[in-house]
Amino acid sequence: MTASIIDGKAYAAGLRARVAQGVAELKAGKGITPGLAVVLVGDDPASQVYVRSKTRLVTEAGMAGFDHRLPANTPQADLLALVARLNANPAVHGILVQLPLPAHIDSAHVIAAIDPAKDVDGLSATNAGRLVQSGSGPIDFSVACTPLGCLMLLKDSLGSLAGADAVVVGRSVLVGKPMAQLLVREDCTVTLAHSRTRDLPGLCRRADILVAATGRAQMVKGDWVKPGATVIDVGITRVDRPDGKQRLIGDVDFAAASAVARAITPVPGGIGPMTIACLLHNTLQAARRAAGLGPAAI
C-alpha cells in the first residue's frame, strides 16, 4: 500500500479563498470588516516569520489588520493594558498574542485576559470549556486553530468519522486535548495518549485515525501504524542537512508510515498551512457573531 497524500497546502488555499468571499459578503451586507489584532512581544525569529505571514494573509483575505510589535522587556502590565484596549475596540474582532512570550510574562494570565469572544486562537479556559460541553452541530465559538485544521482535513479525506477508533498522541492544550474533544464531537472513540502511555506502539496500531502531536521528530514509526489508517502529523522539527541547510520533518516516520497508511499528511505542506487559514476562519466567524449573525458555512 502507498498512502495518498493529504494536501493541506491546497486545502488551506481553498479555505482562505472561501474566507475572503465571506469577508466580502459581510462588508457588502453589513458594512463590517473583520479585524484581527496580532501582538508580538520580543524578537524571536520564528515568531517574526510567522507573524509576517499572518499579516500578509490577513490583507489578502480583505480583513483589517492591527499589528502591535512590543520590545522583549515590555512589562506584563503594559501587555495586559494593550489587551484591554483591544478588547474594547469594536473594530477588532479577533486578538492573537503570539506565543511564546518572554519568560517574565505569564502566558496563561495574558490569554485569560483576552475577551473569549475575540479569542480566535481558541485557547481561553472559556472556549476550551465550551468545546468540552458542546454537542454536535455548528460550532459557535472559537476552537484552537491547529486541531480545527486537522479535523477539516480528516473530514475532507474520510467524510463521516463516526465510529472510528482514533488515537491522539500528545496531550497539550494547544493541540492534543482540543483535538481529542473535536473527535469526540464527531462520534469517534478516542484515546488520548502520551509519553507515559503503556504499550504506546500497540495502542497506535489499533487506530483508524492516528494524530501525532508530540513534538518529537519521527517518534511514530511505520510499524506503529494500522494498515489502512489515516495519519495526521502535526509535528515540525528542523534538522540539519548534509549541505548545511535545514529541512523540516514531522513526528511520524513519513516514508515508513506511507507504506502502510491509507492517507497521510506530509511535513511540510500538511497541517502547517491550515493553522493560519483556520485563524482567518475563526476571525470571520467572530465578526459574524459580533454582528448577530450565524456562522458562515465555509
Side-chain angles (χ1 to χ4, degrees):
M1 179 182 296
T2 300
S4 63
I5 303 302
I6 301 174
D7 192 342
K9 185 176 180 180
Y11 189 97
L15 177 58
R16 293 197 308 270
R18 295 190 295 276
V19 167
Q21 180 61 34
V23 170
E25 292 171 356
L26 188 58
K27 287 181 180 179
K30 294 290 186 178
I32 295 172
T33 300
L36 175 63
V38 177
V39 181
L40 175 61
V41 184
D43 51 6
D44 178 76
S47 293
Q48 288 181 330
V49 171
Y50 198 47
V51 166
R52 279 198 300 270
S53 179
K54 288 175 182 175
T55 300
R56 175 176 58 83
L57 294 176
V58 164
T59 301
E60 290 181 3
M63 296 181 175
F66 303 86
D67 284 359
H68 297 268
R69 309 292 179 95
L70 306 178
N73 62 354
T74 297
Q76 178 169 301
D78 290 359
L79 177 56
L80 292 172
L82 173 59
V83 169
R85 293 195 298 273
L86 295 173
N87 283 340
N89 186 347
V92 174
H93 301 97
I95 301 171
L96 170 68
V97 177
Q98 182 65 38
L99 302 177
L101 290 168
H104 69 280
I105 296 178
D106 183 344
S107 299
H109 195 152
V110 173
I111 291 169
I114 298 172
D115 181 347
K118 298 187 179 188
D119 166 37
V120 288
D121 235 4
L123 299 180
S124 69
T126 297
N127 285 327
R130 286 171 175 164
L131 178 58
V132 171
Q133 293 185 339
S134 67
S136 59
I139 295 175
D140 61 352
F141 51 89
S142 290
V143 174
C145 299
T146 298
L148 179 59
C150 294
L151 181 66
M152 289 181 178
L153 292 183
L154 281 169
K155 294 178 73 172
D156 183 63
S157 178
L158 297 174
S160 173
L161 308 184
D165 190 343
V167 172
V168 180
V169 186
R171 50 182 169 176
S172 72
V173 297
L174 295 174
V175 181
K177 290 179 180 178
M179 185 77 252
Q181 292 298 330
L182 285 170
L183 290 168
V184 167
R185 289 183 89 255
E186 297 297 325
D187 297 319
C188 295
T189 299
V190 182
T191 302
L192 183 58
H194 46 81
S195 60
R196 296 191 180 185
T197 297
R198 294 177 181 174
D199 189 17
L200 182 57
L203 178 65
C204 291
R205 290 187 195 106
R206 292 172 20 202
D208 304 309
I209 296 170
L210 178 59
V211 181
T214 68
R216 298 184 182 183
Q218 297 186 339
M219 174 182 172
V220 177
K221 308 304 180 184
D223 62 1
W224 293 23
V225 178
K226 176 182 178 179
T230 298
V231 179
I232 302 294
D233 189 350
V234 182
I236 297 178
T237 301
R238 295 182 183 274
V239 297
D240 293 328
R241 302 191 314 191
D243 61 5
K245 297 182 180 179
Q246 290 188 320
R247 66 186 180 98
L248 300 178
I249 60 174
D251 289 352
V252 178
D253 183 339
F254 181 82
S258 296
V260 181
R262 185 197 71 85
I264 189 170
T265 56
V267 177
I271 299 304
M274 290 297 297
T275 298
I276 297 180
C278 287
L279 176 68
L280 301 178
H281 166 273
N282 283 353
T283 301
L284 170 61
Q285 304 292 26
R288 290 181 61 86
R289 288 192 294 270
L293 302 174
I298 59 173

